[in-house]
Amino acid sequence: MDDQQLYLLWHARHLVVEDDGSTRHRDPDGELHLDEEEWRLLGVFHDEATAAAHLATARTLPGFRDEPDCFRISPLLPDEDHWTEGYITVVH
């Protein structure tokens, strides 16, 4: 495979409900809230414009339309190791 960049389209479903019954999607600085979320990979695309078009369509679908601002398009170069450390599981 060549060094062509790909674009991954993700959606974050937020799992934590605040005390008032609301769900926090964005932090005070406007960034996507990244605590207690469940990520879904919607697709891998050859260009950002195609990923954005699919994002627009996904915003109209059940579930996704409930969290329309919780999408992320992430560029990715193939054949690069993006997880170089292990992980731990915390049991509550």
Side-chain angles (χ1 to χ4, degrees):
M1 183 172 250
D2 62 16
D3 288 339
Q4 181 178 357
Q5 189 160 274
L6 300 173
Y7 295 86
L8 285 66
L9 175 57
W10 296 92
H11 182 265
R13 178 176 158 251
H14 292 89
L15 305 174
V16 172
V17 176
E18 303 293 331
D19 291 338
D20 65 358
S22 66
T23 302
R24 182 166 39 144
H25 302 280
R26 297 277 169 174
D27 290 328
D29 63 1
E31 291 296 314
L32 192 59
H33 182 65
L34 299 177
D35 186 28
E36 301 295 332
E37 73 282 346
E38 177 181 271
W39 286 95
R40 292 179 169 84
L41 177 62
L42 280 71
V44 179
F45 304 94
H46 285 286
D47 59 70
E48 192 169 9
T50 303
H54 283 272
L55 185 158
T57 299
R59 278 190 170 138
T60 68
L61 300 174
F64 296 118
R65 68 177 163 233
D66 297 331
E67 295 186 289
D69 297 322
C70 297
F71 290 90
R72 175 177 283 173
I73 297 174
S74 301
L76 175 76
L77 286 173
D79 300 327
E80 285 189 358
D81 188 358
H82 295 274
W83 197 335
T84 58
E85 298 180 20
Y87 68 94
I88 63 168
T89 301
V90 177
V91 180
H92 298 276

